[in-house]
Amino acid sequence: MDNKNIDTDILMEESLEKILEYLDEKKYFQSRDELLKFNAVDISELLEDISEETNIDMTIILFRLLPKDISVEVFAELSSDTQVDIINAITDKEIDFIVKELDFDDKIDVLEELPANIVDRILEKTPKHERKLINTFLNYPDTCAGSLMTPDYISLDKDWTVGRALEHIKQVGMDAETVYTCYVRDSGRKLLGIVSLSTLVISSSETKVNNIMVTDYVFENVYDDQEDVSEDFKKYGFLAIPVVDNEHRLVGIITVDDILDVMEEEATEDIERMNGVIDWENSDKGYLDMSVWQHALNRLPWLLILMVAYIFTGMIITNFEGRLSQIICLVAYMPMLMGTGGNTGSQAATLIIRGIATSEVETSDILKVLWKELRIGIIVGTILSAVNFGRVCLLDGQSPEIALTVCSAMLLIVIFAKIIGSMIPLIVKMLKLDPALIANPAISSVSDMVALSIYFAMASLLLGL
Amino acid sequence: MDNKNIDTDILMEESLEKILEYLDEKKYFQSRDELLKFNAVDISELLEDISEETNIDMTIILFRLLPKDISVEVFAELSSDTQVDIINAITDKEIDFIVKELDFDDKIDVLEELPANIVDRILEKTPKHERKLINTFLNYPDTCAGSLMTPDYISLDKDWTVGRALEHIKQVGMDAETVYTCYVRDSGRKLLGIVSLSTLVISSSETKVNNIMVTDYVFENVYDDQEDVSEDFKKYGFLAIPVVDNEHRLVGIITVDDILDVMEEEATEDIERMNGVIDWENSDKGYLDMSVWQHALNRLPWLLILMVAYIFTGMIITNFEGRLSQIICLVAYMPMLMGTGGNTGSQAATLIIRGIATSEVETSDILKVLWKELRIGIIVGTILSAVNFGRVCLLDGQSPEIALTVCSAMLLIVIFAKIIGSMIPLIVKMLKLDPALIANPAISSVSDMVALSIYFAMASLLLGL
């Protein structure tokens, strides 16, 4: 297992206890010194824990006791609720300092989450030219490349020598989000090429930047979707990708560390969608931070849509009601047949939706998928039917005719469910929609209807109802 | 949308058509020149497309015509099936070259996927000391830090000056997986500290490495789980993390680009598990590459387990059968009540399982979650019941008593399903198991039984059955 993580976790827990004791005795400086044993990420976690265990005031006191340079890093890592509380509590001068020292992309992240009145309060303290830049950045839609990028990149002149370039990096490097890739622009800010720091380091210092820059680099447009951006990072394995506007002017860069968060967000969104939860606000708020009403709103649509679908299921049953009451024992197998149909269908759908998301399955594979699922359905259906035949005859003591009805229905249901479950996502994809939007519950309820129809058809056929 | 990607996609499609025409006319060199318009990642994609459209022989011919240095990069990106075909077709000398030139971690990735006889053929051509290293790497379990790392890192001496260190990087830099973080070891290979290239570049060249290295770095143990490793990358935003053995000797480094794949793999695994698909072989094979039997094997366990669970559902119904046949119209609402219960339950479970996976929800939050889900259940249940009351009375023309039975059952079912769906994953987590293992289908089938029991209880109570 993860020795180090366990170690850090244990250390943090021990420190948390110590700090809580210190705070009880109003020993604020000891508490702070205890905090300072950790790095900024861990300190922010501890501060969140402290406000949970005691109250936000303690967190604010400790935050203000942190050395200034560390406090900025810690601030960037705190939850937006805590950020708001801190901003409301500290002096304008302190706000000033934090705003000035935050990395540009952290600043944007912070501002995006804060309420409008606080944003205004912060923007007031920002120099005019930066205020304009911040406003541009804040206006990019939440899920596009523009919202992920930072303008803190290093740009070089194509006519510089490697020596001059390295000198330049030495001077401005500290403020850049990454110094590992440098960008060469023309006078109109159009991107000409990129040079990695490693190329600079291993080149002789007289070489012209012009001669070592790469010109067939990969780039993104500011309005590209963040999912496509993360695809490119995965495909090419870069540490940073430049972002250009429609005139091919360099406006910022995206670094790989921000992509890790995007990937987690996108996976969460897919998982939620597949299971019938819609995130209307596209928020990256966590489960616990969302209000009860927001949760209800995210979950109701599919439940309501599916309830309407169940009207048809009800109609299928009502149609068969008279005959069903003659052999009432058939009712006992309905949940199993519908449930198994739903489960097999959503298994197939899950694999196909995920395959599409990871670009492994394409719409042109539809016939391959059909043929594969048909065979899987026959294998799985046959095994389930065989097991089931034993159950119905031996365990339930039903007649072989009833067992045959249930089991032949089972086989057909599994085959159809596999086909429905695999085909619907591919068809949705062909219509240029996100296959994850057709949630698994929806596929289950289509399988439900098919399952009931097949069951009653087999019953009519084999039992002469 | 993504202008560039669309552009590349269109360009690649056009080139593919051209290449296929050239190949038809046996113009192999023109085909190759067409390929060389793209980078290695895209060339490998085109080669896969070509073997799909024509046959593997064409791909092998084109592969052999590629310039040697590009062919190695392309080889690393190909699917393992194509890699095997190529290795079987090319000469020992060509294999030699590829094996020698592949980055160490690509080599390990390639070898892990190839059949044993081919691996032997490759290892024969490897120098003895490297063969030993390869064998060590191949023996790390598939999902641990050891299997992700590369030994191609840059190590520095603590007594070197920055100038000497940069000189060293210039010499060996090309072969390292990343030059952006350098590692300082003592004579016993124990890790002392790390220095980033950016620190080296901005430091004066007389400074001692000793004085600028970071000693409170984050590291992993070779046997740490890859999920914990990717957590650390997400938490700290590093480009690379060192990996040490139990004696704290540096054995390799993990770079962030490999973590992107891990995150995708882990998300896929979670999604599949949540929907009742078990990947027995822990394979990273895609949907299309897996055999029909493998698919059947991965899907059968949950279907079989759940079928057993449906025996209990059947028993609940059988118990009520006599009374059910008196008011047969109650059967028509069974699928809706069970389905809605299952859907609400799996919505809650999905959110909690994902919350646990992203470390946002912890087991200590269990009471908070319970209270939240209870309130969400009341809101959602009330709205669904109200809509449903209208449907049963007006659309189906049933008596108010029946409508009341169905709707009061609906309210209770939704509340219970939300509680069951949210509590089961937390309880599983408390037992130190992966909550995703308790698949949503399992939660649905528990909700099913609860739903039926509640429905029949309400019917007995309100309709006097």
Side-chain angles (χ1 to χ4, degrees):
Chain A
M1 281 308 300
D2 192 331
N3 298 315
K4 177 199 52 58
N5 280 341
I6 290 174
D7 282 359
T8 315
D9 282 355
I10 293 174
L11 282 177
M12 282 174 67
E13 255 171 63
E14 285 172 1
S15 286
L16 179 59
E17 264 173 52
K18 270 195 222 165
I19 293 171
L20 291 175
E21 269 173 44
Y22 287 146
L23 288 177
D24 243 13
E25 304 160 17
K26 299 212 173 357
K27 291 180 178 166
Y28 297 118
F29 283 91
Q30 278 99 321
S31 311
R32 182 202 55 182
D33 293 341
E34 194 62 39
L35 274 181
L36 288 176
K37 291 180 185 165
F38 298 91
N39 62 35
V41 180
D42 295 332
I43 292 177
S44 75
E45 252 184 64
L46 283 169
L47 286 179
E48 300 279 1
D49 290 342
I50 290 166
S51 77
E52 215 167 281
E53 298 284 335
T54 59
N55 57 55
I56 183 72
D57 295 338
M58 289 298 162
T59 294
I60 292 169
I61 293 173
L62 286 176
F63 178 82
R64 296 178 79 168
L65 288 178
L66 292 174
K68 282 208 160 181
D69 50 329
I70 293 178
S71 74
V72 174
E73 280 181 68
V74 170
F75 185 82
E77 300 287 337
L78 289 168
S79 74
S80 46
D81 287 349
T82 313
Q83 286 173 345
V84 173
D85 288 330
I86 287 179
I87 290 193
N88 277 327
I90 62 182
T91 66
D92 280 10
K93 215 179 124 205
E94 285 168 312
I95 296 182
D96 233 28
F97 181 80
I98 292 178
V99 170
K100 229 180 80 212
E101 292 296 316
L102 272 178
D103 279 348
F104 191 88
D105 63 337
D106 286 336
K107 203 178 301 185
I108 297 298
D109 283 349
V110 168
L111 290 175
E112 269 173 351
E113 295 296 325
L114 295 179
N117 60 326
I118 308 248
V119 172
D120 289 344
R121 199 172 150 200
I122 291 177
L123 285 181
E124 269 172 31
K125 321 218 164 312
T126 321
K128 202 176 165 197
H129 70 279
E130 194 179 301
R131 207 181 312 160
K132 211 176 137 197
L133 193 59
I134 289 177
N135 272 320
T136 318
F137 270 68
L138 283 177
N139 280 329
Y140 289 118
D142 209 19
T143 57
C144 78
S147 76
L148 293 172
M149 68 187 182
T150 167
D152 294 332
Y153 53 85
I154 290 183
S155 62
L156 304 176
D157 192 295
K158 72 178 166 55
D159 296 321
W160 286 356
T161 61
V162 167
R164 168 97 196 263
L166 283 172
E167 225 18 79
H168 178 72
I169 294 171
K170 243 182 230 196
Q171 276 163 29
V172 301
M174 282 314 236
D175 289 328
E177 172 79 9
T178 173
V179 300
Y180 296 127
T181 320
C182 306
Y183 301 86
V184 186
R185 301 180 311 187
D186 70 8
S187 54
R189 298 191 51 212
K190 285 208 172 68
L191 183 58
L192 295 174
I194 64 176
V195 194
S196 69
L197 181 59
S198 57
T199 309
L200 289 172
V201 168
I202 61 175
S203 299
S204 88
S205 60
E206 288 78 36
T207 315
K208 281 270 180 71
V209 166
N210 205 10
N211 297 326
I212 51 169
M213 72 182 183
V214 176
T215 50
D216 64 337
Y217 50 83
V218 171
F219 60 91
E220 311 289 337
N221 182 286
V222 268
Y223 290 108
D224 283 349
D225 189 79
Q226 62 177 8
E227 212 165 337
D228 297 325
V229 177
S230 79
E231 276 300 316
D232 281 341
F233 271 96
K234 253 184 299 177
K235 186 172 169 187
Y236 298 107
F238 293 138
L239 300 179
I241 296 186
V243 182
V244 300
D245 63 13
N246 292 330
E247 279 75 44
H248 207 80
R249 286 179 302 222
L250 182 62
V251 284
I253 61 168
I254 298 176
T255 52
V256 66
D257 53 314
D258 296 318
I259 293 302
L260 296 179
D261 298 330
V262 170
M263 285 184 66
E264 188 167 281
E265 244 175 68
E266 296 284 340
T268 300
E269 194 186 274
D270 273 7
I271 290 175
E272 289 179 2
R273 282 186 181 176
M274 283 168 75
N275 292 292
V277 181
I278 302 171
D279 188 1
W280 293 102
E281 293 192 337
N282 246 318
S283 78
D284 44 10
K285 266 193 192 170
Y287 172 88
L288 293 171
D289 294 333
M290 270 168 55
S291 76
V292 170
W293 287 101
Q294 191 56 49
H295 271 294
L297 204 64
N298 287 352
R299 301 184 198 181
L300 267 170
W302 268 117
L303 295 176
L304 282 170
I305 293 170
L306 294 173
M307 233 170 61
V308 175
Y310 285 118
I311 295 180
F312 297 100
T313 322
M315 280 162 57
I316 297 173
I317 297 178
T318 309
N319 244 320
F320 202 74
E321 226 165 59
R323 284 168 286 174
L324 206 53
S325 60
Q326 290 169 37
I327 312 189
I328 190 80
C329 70
L330 288 178
V331 175
Y333 301 106
M334 271 170 41
M336 179 188 68
L337 292 170
M338 291 167 58
T340 306
N343 291 337
T344 34
S346 67
Q347 281 180 336
T350 299
L351 291 167
I352 298 299
I353 292 173
R354 189 62 190 163
I356 294 173
T358 58
S359 315
E360 195 245 324
V361 177
E362 281 164 42
T363 48
S364 56
D365 296 321
I366 191 160
L367 289 178
K368 269 191 235 170
V369 171
L370 184 65
W371 174 228
K372 195 152 221 157
E373 288 298 326
L374 182 67
R375 287 175 297 162
I376 300 170
I378 292 171
I379 296 172
V380 171
T382 307
I383 295 173
L384 292 180
S385 294
V387 174
N388 212 35
F389 194 87
R391 175 209 157 180
V392 179
C393 281
L394 303 177
L395 201 69
D396 300 350
Q398 301 286 2
S399 68
E401 287 79 21
I402 291 196
L404 195 66
T405 305
V406 173
C407 294
S408 56
M410 173 69 92
L411 175 61
L412 289 175
I413 288 168
V414 169
I415 295 173
F416 273 94
K418 288 265 176 246
I419 292 174
I420 291 168
S422 57
M423 291 299 108
I424 290 180
L426 283 168
I427 292 166
V428 171
K429 176 70 187 176
M430 281 176 177
L431 300 173
K432 310 261 176 224
L433 297 170
D434 178 3
L437 274 177
I438 300 305
N440 275 332
I443 285 169
S444 300
S445 83
V446 174
S447 320
D448 273 0
M449 283 183 249
V450 173
L452 275 182
S453 307
I454 291 177
Y455 186 35
F456 293 158
M458 293 315 290
S460 302
L461 202 70
L462 296 175
L463 302 174
L465 287 175
Chain B
M1 283 307 299
D2 192 329
N3 298 314
K4 177 200 52 61
N5 281 341
I6 289 173
D7 283 358
T8 315
D9 282 355
I10 293 175
L11 282 177
M12 281 175 66
E13 257 172 61
E14 285 173 2
S15 286
L16 180 60
E17 266 173 50
K18 268 195 222 165
I19 293 170
L20 292 173
E21 270 174 43
Y22 287 144
L23 288 177
D24 244 13
E25 304 161 17
K26 302 214 177 345
K27 292 182 179 165
Y28 297 118
F29 284 91
Q30 278 98 323
S31 311
R32 182 202 54 183
D33 293 343
E34 195 62 39
L35 275 181
L36 289 176
K37 290 181 185 165
F38 297 93
N39 62 35
V41 179
D42 294 333
I43 292 178
S44 75
E45 252 186 63
L46 282 169
L47 285 179
E48 300 277 3
D49 290 342
I50 289 167
S51 76
E52 215 167 283
E53 298 283 336
T54 60
N55 57 56
I56 184 72
D57 295 339
M58 290 297 163
T59 295
I60 293 170
I61 292 174
L62 287 177
F63 178 80
R64 296 178 78 168
L65 289 178
L66 292 174
K68 283 206 158 182
D69 51 329
I70 294 178
S71 74
V72 174
E73 280 181 69
V74 170
F75 185 82
E77 299 287 337
L78 289 168
S79 73
S80 46
D81 287 348
T82 312
Q83 286 173 347
V84 173
D85 288 331
I86 286 179
I87 289 193
N88 278 326
I90 62 181
T91 66
D92 280 10
K93 215 179 123 204
E94 284 168 311
I95 296 182
D96 233 29
F97 181 81
I98 292 178
V99 170
K100 230 181 78 212
E101 292 297 315
L102 273 178
D103 279 348
F104 191 87
D105 62 338
D106 285 336
K107 205 178 300 185
I108 297 297
D109 282 349
V110 168
L111 291 175
E112 269 172 352
E113 295 295 325
L114 295 179
N117 60 327
I118 308 248
V119 172
D120 289 344
R121 199 172 151 199
I122 291 177
L123 284 182
E124 270 171 30
K125 321 219 164 310
T126 321
K128 203 175 163 198
H129 70 278
E130 194 177 302
R131 208 182 311 162
K132 211 176 137 197
L133 195 59
I134 289 177
N135 273 319
T136 317
F137 271 68
L138 284 177
N139 280 328
Y140 289 118
D142 208 21
T143 56
C144 78
S147 76
L148 293 172
M149 69 187 180
T150 167
D152 294 334
Y153 53 83
I154 289 182
S155 61
L156 305 176
D157 193 294
K158 71 180 167 52
D159 296 321
W160 285 356
T161 62
V162 166
R164 168 96 196 264
L166 283 173
E167 224 21 77
H168 178 71
I169 294 171
K170 240 183 232 197
Q171 276 162 30
V172 301
M174 280 316 234
D175 288 327
E177 171 81 8
T178 174
V179 300
Y180 296 128
T181 321
C182 306
Y183 301 87
V184 186
R185 302 180 310 187
D186 69 7
S187 53
R189 298 190 53 210
K190 284 208 172 69
L191 183 59
L192 295 174
I194 64 175
V195 194
S196 69
L197 181 59
S198 57
T199 309
L200 288 172
V201 168
I202 60 176
S203 299
S204 89
S205 60
E206 288 78 35
T207 316
K208 281 270 180 69
V209 167
N210 205 9
N211 296 327
I212 50 169
M213 72 182 185
V214 176
T215 50
D216 65 336
Y217 51 84
V218 170
F219 59 92
E220 310 290 336
N221 182 285
V222 269
Y223 291 108
D224 283 349
D225 190 80
Q226 61 176 7
E227 210 163 339
D228 297 325
V229 177
S230 80
E231 275 301 315
D232 281 341
F233 272 96
K234 252 184 300 176
K235 186 170 170 190
Y236 299 107
F238 294 137
L239 301 179
I241 296 185
V243 182
V244 301
D245 63 13
N246 292 331
E247 279 74 45
H248 207 77
R249 286 180 302 223
L250 182 62
V251 284
I253 61 168
I254 298 176
T255 52
V256 67
D257 53 315
D258 295 318
I259 293 302
L260 296 179
D261 298 329
V262 170
M263 286 185 65
E264 189 168 280
E265 244 175 68
E266 296 285 340
T268 300
E269 194 185 273
D270 272 8
I271 291 175
E272 290 179 0
R273 282 186 180 176
M274 284 168 75
N275 293 292
V277 182
I278 302 171
D279 188 0
W280 294 102
E281 296 193 334
N282 248 317
S283 78
D284 43 9
K285 267 194 191 170
Y287 172 88
L288 293 172
D289 294 332
M290 269 167 58
S291 76
V292 169
W293 287 101
Q294 190 57 48
H295 271 293
L297 203 65
N298 288 352
R299 301 184 198 181
L300 267 170
W302 268 117
L303 296 176
L304 282 170
I305 293 170
L306 294 173
M307 233 172 59
V308 175
Y310 284 119
I311 295 180
F312 296 101
T313 323
M315 280 160 59
I316 297 174
I317 296 178
T318 308
N319 245 321
F320 203 74
E321 226 166 58
R323 284 167 283 176
L324 206 53
S325 60
Q326 291 169 37
I327 311 187
I328 190 80
C329 69
L330 288 179
V331 175
Y333 301 107
M334 270 170 42
M336 179 188 69
L337 292 171
M338 290 168 57
T340 305
N343 292 337
T344 35
S346 67
Q347 281 180 337
T350 299
L351 291 167
I352 299 299
I353 292 173
R354 187 65 190 161
I356 294 173
T358 58
S359 314
E360 195 245 324
V361 176
E362 282 163 42
T363 48
S364 56
D365 296 321
I366 191 160
L367 289 178
K368 268 192 234 168
V369 171
L370 183 67
W371 173 228
K372 195 152 221 161
E373 288 298 324
L374 181 68
R375 286 176 296 162
I376 300 170
I378 292 171
I379 296 171
V380 171
T382 307
I383 295 172
L384 292 179
S385 294
V387 174
N388 212 35
F389 195 87
R391 175 208 156 181
V392 179
C393 282
L394 304 178
L395 200 67
D396 299 349
Q398 301 285 3
S399 68
E401 287 80 20
I402 290 196
L404 196 65
T405 306
V406 173
C407 294
S408 57
M410 173 71 93
L411 175 61
L412 289 175
I413 288 169
V414 169
I415 295 172
F416 274 95
K418 288 264 176 249
I419 292 173
I420 292 168
S422 57
M423 290 299 109
I424 290 180
L426 284 168
I427 292 165
V428 171
K429 176 71 186 172
M430 282 177 177
L431 301 173
K432 309 264 177 219
L433 296 171
D434 178 3
L437 274 177
I438 299 305
N440 274 333
I443 286 168
S444 300
S445 82
V446 175
S447 319
D448 273 1
M449 283 182 248
V450 173
L452 275 183
S453 308
I454 292 177
Y455 185 34
F456 293 156
M458 294 313 290
S460 303
L461 202 72
L462 296 175
L463 302 173
L465 284 177

